[in-house]
Amino acid sequence: MPFVDDGLATFSLGLLNRPRNAIPSILSRMESGEKLSFVAPMVRYSKLPFRLLCLEWGADACYSPMIIAESFVQSTKARDNEFTTSSCDMPLVAQFAARDTEWFGEAARICSDWCGGIDLNCGCPQKWAINDGIGSALLSQPELIAEMVKTAKRRSSCPISIKIRVEDDIRETVELCRRAEMSGVSWIAVHGRTMRMKSSEPPLLDHLTQVKQSCRVPVIVNGTISSPSDIGKTYEKTGCDGIMSARAVLGNPAIFKGYEQVPQECLEDFVNISLLVGTCYVGAVVG
């Protein structure tokens, strides 16, 4: 797996100058009561350059894009293409999509030394993912989720988490979380929309509150942030231990620092970081 450090040591950014072993673990910070801000997994976008930018501009931790565990385990080419990191890329949570305990467990083992956490995607609502038995398809299989968490914990030294969506019947979500806790999951990220809801529909805040109230492990809430003011409102309404953003942070990587719009310095930082580590946005049109 590519490990990019060339030039980063001379790129004078605050958080990025911290050695990897000096950054407290995600779990210990949440267990101590610290409220954390996460960059959500985003296909094509939450790769190394964007993660480094977000860490500099207020994010506490970043997720990798969703990686298909089976391909990752079987193919060196897939690993090199899907997973690039650096000593500055911490805390990093590597997220995998899987429908089999063996593939997820082995992917967790391979990534263990490079991450601050390993996550199982149980929330992707895209039809191709559901038809393939991954993502939101797992929400109806809490026993399988629990077994995958157990297997990954046996093979990895990292905390194992899951990212889910609420169900229409919140009792089903609460039961899934209960089983995940019994399997040893370290934290749970919950998107506030069901797999059938559109992103334009308002999140189900009451559902998120019930999930938080029912869980003993930290709960990260996703799908409620569109502006900096939403962060405080989400904590107040749900009592969650952390917040996560995808669309909002993609449009404004400085949102966690309270900026309503992207500052010029943030844009300049992204150019500089991309020049140092390379970028995956081949063919992208910016205008």
Side-chain angles (χ1 to χ4, degrees):
M1 293 178 288
F3 186 80
V4 180
D5 260 353
D6 292 344
L8 284 174
T10 60
F11 189 44
S12 183
L13 295 178
L15 178 62
L16 303 190
N17 286 332
R18 298 172 64 187
R20 182 175 282 229
N21 59 9
I23 301 175
S25 74
I26 297 169
L27 185 59
S28 66
R29 292 171 70 183
M30 287 194 289
E31 288 179 337
S32 69
E34 187 175 352
K35 303 291 188 181
L36 302 186
S37 299
F38 292 81
V39 174
M42 292 176 280
V43 174
R44 292 186 299 276
Y45 293 109
S46 56
K47 292 198 173 185
L48 180 60
F50 190 70
R51 294 197 302 265
L52 294 177
L53 178 72
C54 291
L55 288 171
E56 172 62 14
W57 284 89
D60 293 300
C62 299
Y63 278 56
S64 74
M66 181 182 75
I67 303 168
I68 305 300
E70 184 175 352
S71 300
F72 185 84
V73 171
Q74 291 183 316
S75 169
T76 301
K77 183 178 180 180
R79 290 195 290 276
D80 290 345
N81 181 62
E82 297 296 333
F83 188 85
T84 301
T85 188
S86 81
S87 59
C88 301
D89 187 25
M90 283 294 280
L92 169 64
V93 180
Q95 188 191 71
F96 291 97
R99 59 184 179 186
D100 178 271
T101 56
E102 181 63 28
W103 295 127
F104 183 58
E106 188 60 11
R109 184 193 67 79
I110 293 170
C111 269
S112 184
D113 292 337
W114 306 93
C115 302
I118 305 290
D119 186 75
L120 176 63
N121 184 309
C122 309
C124 179
Q126 297 187 40
K127 289 183 179 180
W128 71 265
I130 295 172
N131 291 338
D132 204 34
I134 60 176
S136 290
L138 295 175
L139 294 176
S140 62
Q141 303 178 73
E143 300 91 348
L144 177 58
I145 292 174
E147 286 304 314
M148 284 198 276
V149 170
K150 289 178 184 178
T151 300
K153 282 183 66 67
R154 287 195 297 266
R155 299 190 186 182
S156 170
S157 59
C158 289
I160 307 299
S161 61
I162 60 173
K163 187 172 185 297
I164 66 173
R165 284 178 175 264
V166 294
E167 297 273 33
D168 291 313
D169 185 346
I170 193 59
R171 293 172 297 182
E172 296 179 9
T173 308
V174 168
E175 175 60 17
L176 185 154
C177 292
R178 185 189 69 82
R179 294 190 183 206
E181 285 185 323
M182 291 177 64
S183 72
V185 78
S186 294
W187 68 81
I188 300 172
V190 190
H191 194 290
R193 296 177 183 85
T194 70
M195 72 173 78
R196 290 165 290 278
M197 290 175 65
K198 297 179 180 179
S199 60
S200 59
E201 296 181 71
L204 304 174
L205 289 173
D206 288 340
H207 280 40
L208 292 170
T209 302
Q210 289 184 62
V211 171
K212 169 55 189 170
Q213 291 174 346
S214 71
C215 286
R216 298 187 303 274
V217 299
V219 172
I220 301 163
V221 163
N222 180 212
T224 65
I225 308 300
S226 58
S227 69
S229 62
D230 292 329
I231 296 174
K233 293 176 183 177
T234 297
Y235 282 126
E236 181 179 358
K237 176 64 178 178
T238 68
C240 63
D241 303 284
I243 52 98
M244 177 181 286
S245 174
R247 292 174 183 268
V249 78
L250 185 60
N252 177 11
I255 192 172
F256 295 138
K257 277 196 171 182
Y259 287 88
E260 294 286 348
Q261 296 182 331
V262 186
Q264 180 68 28
E265 297 87 344
C266 183
L267 298 175
E268 293 171 358
D269 281 348
F270 184 64
V271 171
N272 290 331
I273 291 171
S274 297
L275 288 173
L276 285 171
V277 305
T279 178
C280 60
Y281 311 111
V282 178
V285 177
V286 179

Short mmCIF file of all heavy atoms in Angstrom, two decimals, residues 236-263:
data_model
loop_
_atom_site.label_atom_id
_atom_site.label_comp_id
_atom_site.label_asym_id
_atom_site.label_seq_id
_atom_site.Cartn_x
_atom_site.Cartn_y
_atom_site.Cartn_z
N GLU A 236 -26.96 19.25 20.96
CA GLU A 236 -28.01 19.57 21.93
C GLU A 236 -29.21 18.66 21.78
O GLU A 236 -29.79 18.19 22.77
CB GLU A 236 -28.43 21.03 21.74
CG GLU A 236 -29.51 21.49 22.72
CD GLU A 236 -29.89 22.94 22.52
OE1 GLU A 236 -29.29 23.61 21.65
OE2 GLU A 236 -30.81 23.41 23.22
N LYS A 237 -29.59 18.37 20.54
CA LYS A 237 -30.79 17.58 20.29
C LYS A 237 -30.57 16.09 20.56
O LYS A 237 -31.44 15.43 21.14
CB LYS A 237 -31.25 17.78 18.85
CG LYS A 237 -32.43 16.92 18.43
CD LYS A 237 -33.70 17.25 19.23
CE LYS A 237 -34.88 16.43 18.76
NZ LYS A 237 -36.10 16.72 19.55
N THR A 238 -29.43 15.55 20.14
CA THR A 238 -29.24 14.10 20.19
C THR A 238 -28.38 13.62 21.35
O THR A 238 -28.45 12.45 21.73
CB THR A 238 -28.59 13.60 18.89
OG1 THR A 238 -27.24 14.10 18.80
CG2 THR A 238 -29.38 14.06 17.67
N GLY A 239 -27.54 14.51 21.90
CA GLY A 239 -26.64 14.08 22.96
C GLY A 239 -25.51 13.21 22.46
O GLY A 239 -24.86 12.51 23.26
N CYS A 240 -25.23 13.25 21.17
CA CYS A 240 -24.24 12.34 20.56
C CYS A 240 -22.82 12.67 21.03
O CYS A 240 -22.55 13.72 21.60
CB CYS A 240 -24.33 12.41 19.05
SG CYS A 240 -23.95 14.03 18.35
N ASP A 241 -21.90 11.74 20.75
CA ASP A 241 -20.51 11.88 21.17
C ASP A 241 -19.63 12.48 20.08
O ASP A 241 -18.49 12.87 20.33
CB ASP A 241 -19.95 10.50 21.55
CG ASP A 241 -20.79 9.86 22.64
OD1 ASP A 241 -20.65 10.27 23.80
OD2 ASP A 241 -21.60 8.95 22.32
N GLY A 242 -20.15 12.55 18.86
CA GLY A 242 -19.40 13.13 17.76
C GLY A 242 -20.33 13.39 16.60
O GLY A 242 -21.44 12.85 16.54
N ILE A 243 -19.88 14.25 15.69
CA ILE A 243 -20.67 14.52 14.49
C ILE A 243 -19.84 14.18 13.26
O ILE A 243 -18.61 14.20 13.29
CB ILE A 243 -21.17 15.99 14.45
CG1 ILE A 243 -20.02 16.98 14.64
CG2 ILE A 243 -22.23 16.21 15.51
CD1 ILE A 243 -19.48 17.53 13.35
N MET A 244 -20.54 13.85 12.18
CA MET A 244 -19.89 13.46 10.94
C MET A 244 -20.55 14.18 9.77
O MET A 244 -21.77 14.35 9.76
CB MET A 244 -20.00 11.94 10.74
CG MET A 244 -19.42 11.41 9.44
SD MET A 244 -19.62 9.61 9.29
CE MET A 244 -18.39 9.04 10.46
N SER A 245 -19.74 14.60 8.81
CA SER A 245 -20.28 15.31 7.65
C SER A 245 -19.65 14.79 6.37
O SER A 245 -18.47 14.45 6.34
CB SER A 245 -20.02 16.81 7.77
OG SER A 245 -20.42 17.49 6.60
N ALA A 246 -20.46 14.74 5.31
CA ALA A 246 -19.97 14.37 3.98
C ALA A 246 -20.18 15.54 3.02
O ALA A 246 -19.25 16.24 2.66
CB ALA A 246 -20.68 13.12 3.48
N ARG A 247 -21.42 15.78 2.63
CA ARG A 247 -21.72 16.82 1.64
C ARG A 247 -21.27 18.21 2.10
O ARG A 247 -20.68 18.97 1.34
CB ARG A 247 -23.22 16.84 1.33
CG ARG A 247 -23.72 15.61 0.60
CD ARG A 247 -25.23 15.63 0.47
NE ARG A 247 -25.72 14.42 -0.19
CZ ARG A 247 -25.93 14.32 -1.49
NH1 ARG A 247 -25.69 15.34 -2.28
NH2 ARG A 247 -26.38 13.18 -2.01
N ALA A 248 -21.54 18.52 3.35
CA ALA A 248 -21.21 19.86 3.84
C ALA A 248 -19.71 20.09 3.89
O ALA A 248 -19.21 21.15 3.48
CB ALA A 248 -21.83 20.10 5.21
N VAL A 249 -18.96 19.11 4.37
CA VAL A 249 -17.51 19.28 4.46
C VAL A 249 -16.86 19.22 3.08
O VAL A 249 -15.81 19.83 2.86
CB VAL A 249 -16.89 18.24 5.43
CG1 VAL A 249 -16.76 16.87 4.77
CG2 VAL A 249 -15.53 18.71 5.94
N LEU A 250 -17.48 18.51 2.16
CA LEU A 250 -16.95 18.49 0.80
C LEU A 250 -17.08 19.88 0.16
O LEU A 250 -16.18 20.33 -0.55
CB LEU A 250 -17.70 17.45 -0.05
CG LEU A 250 -17.19 17.23 -1.47
CD1 LEU A 250 -15.74 16.76 -1.47
CD2 LEU A 250 -18.08 16.20 -2.18
N GLY A 251 -18.18 20.55 0.42
CA GLY A 251 -18.38 21.89 -0.09
C GLY A 251 -17.61 22.95 0.68
O GLY A 251 -17.28 24.01 0.13
N ASN A 252 -17.32 22.66 1.96
CA ASN A 252 -16.62 23.62 2.80
C ASN A 252 -15.76 22.88 3.81
O ASN A 252 -16.21 22.58 4.93
CB ASN A 252 -17.63 24.52 3.53
CG ASN A 252 -16.96 25.51 4.47
OD1 ASN A 252 -15.75 25.68 4.47
ND2 ASN A 252 -17.75 26.14 5.32
N PRO A 253 -14.52 22.55 3.46
CA PRO A 253 -13.65 21.79 4.37
C PRO A 253 -13.33 22.51 5.68
O PRO A 253 -12.79 21.88 6.59
CB PRO A 253 -12.37 21.58 3.54
CG PRO A 253 -12.80 21.75 2.12
CD PRO A 253 -13.89 22.78 2.16
N ALA A 254 -13.64 23.80 5.76
CA ALA A 254 -13.38 24.57 6.98
C ALA A 254 -14.61 24.67 7.88
O ALA A 254 -14.62 25.42 8.85
CB ALA A 254 -12.89 25.97 6.62
N ILE A 255 -15.65 23.89 7.60
CA ILE A 255 -16.90 24.00 8.35
C ILE A 255 -16.72 23.69 9.83
O ILE A 255 -17.35 24.31 10.69
CB ILE A 255 -17.98 23.08 7.73
CG1 ILE A 255 -19.36 23.40 8.32
CG2 ILE A 255 -17.62 21.61 7.89
CD1 ILE A 255 -20.49 22.68 7.61
N PHE A 256 -15.81 22.76 10.16
CA PHE A 256 -15.63 22.40 11.56
C PHE A 256 -14.93 23.50 12.36
O PHE A 256 -14.93 23.47 13.59
CB PHE A 256 -14.84 21.10 11.68
CG PHE A 256 -15.57 19.90 11.12
CD1 PHE A 256 -14.90 18.95 10.36
CD2 PHE A 256 -16.92 19.71 11.35
CE1 PHE A 256 -15.57 17.84 9.83
CE2 PHE A 256 -17.60 18.61 10.84
CZ PHE A 256 -16.92 17.68 10.08
N LYS A 257 -14.31 24.46 11.67
CA LYS A 257 -13.72 25.61 12.34
C LYS A 257 -14.68 26.79 12.41
O LYS A 257 -14.31 27.87 12.85
CB LYS A 257 -12.43 26.03 11.64
CG LYS A 257 -11.21 25.22 12.05
CD LYS A 257 -9.92 25.91 11.65
CE LYS A 257 -8.71 25.20 12.26
NZ LYS A 257 -7.44 25.89 11.92
N GLY A 258 -15.91 26.57 11.94
CA GLY A 258 -16.92 27.60 12.05
C GLY A 258 -17.06 28.52 10.86
O GLY A 258 -17.85 29.47 10.91
N TYR A 259 -16.35 28.24 9.78
CA TYR A 259 -16.45 29.09 8.60
C TYR A 259 -17.73 28.78 7.82
O TYR A 259 -18.03 27.63 7.54
CB TYR A 259 -15.24 28.86 7.68
CG TYR A 259 -13.95 29.45 8.18
CD1 TYR A 259 -13.11 28.71 9.03
CD2 TYR A 259 -13.56 30.73 7.82
CE1 TYR A 259 -11.91 29.24 9.50
CE2 TYR A 259 -12.36 31.27 8.28
CZ TYR A 259 -11.55 30.52 9.11
OH TYR A 259 -10.37 31.06 9.57
N GLU A 260 -18.43 29.83 7.47
CA GLU A 260 -19.64 29.67 6.66
C GLU A 260 -19.30 29.43 5.19
O GLU A 260 -20.05 28.79 4.46
CB GLU A 260 -20.53 30.91 6.77
CG GLU A 260 -21.13 31.14 8.16
CD GLU A 260 -22.24 30.16 8.48
OE1 GLU A 260 -22.72 29.46 7.56
OE2 GLU A 260 -22.65 30.10 9.66
N GLN A 261 -18.17 29.97 4.75
CA GLN A 261 -17.69 29.80 3.39
C GLN A 261 -16.24 29.38 3.41
O GLN A 261 -15.53 29.59 4.40
CB GLN A 261 -17.86 31.09 2.59
CG GLN A 261 -19.31 31.51 2.39
CD GLN A 261 -19.42 32.77 1.56
OE1 GLN A 261 -18.54 33.62 1.55
NE2 GLN A 261 -20.53 32.89 0.82
N VAL A 262 -15.78 28.79 2.32
CA VAL A 262 -14.40 28.32 2.26
C VAL A 262 -13.45 29.52 2.20
O VAL A 262 -13.55 30.34 1.28
CB VAL A 262 -14.17 27.44 1.01
CG1 VAL A 262 -12.76 26.84 1.06
CG2 VAL A 262 -15.22 26.34 0.92
N PRO A 263 -12.54 29.64 3.16
CA PRO A 263 -11.58 30.75 3.10
C PRO A 263 -10.52 30.52 2.03
O PRO A 263 -10.22 29.36 1.66
CB PRO A 263 -10.95 30.74 4.50
CG PRO A 263 -11.15 29.36 5.01
CD PRO A 263 -12.41 28.85 4.39
#
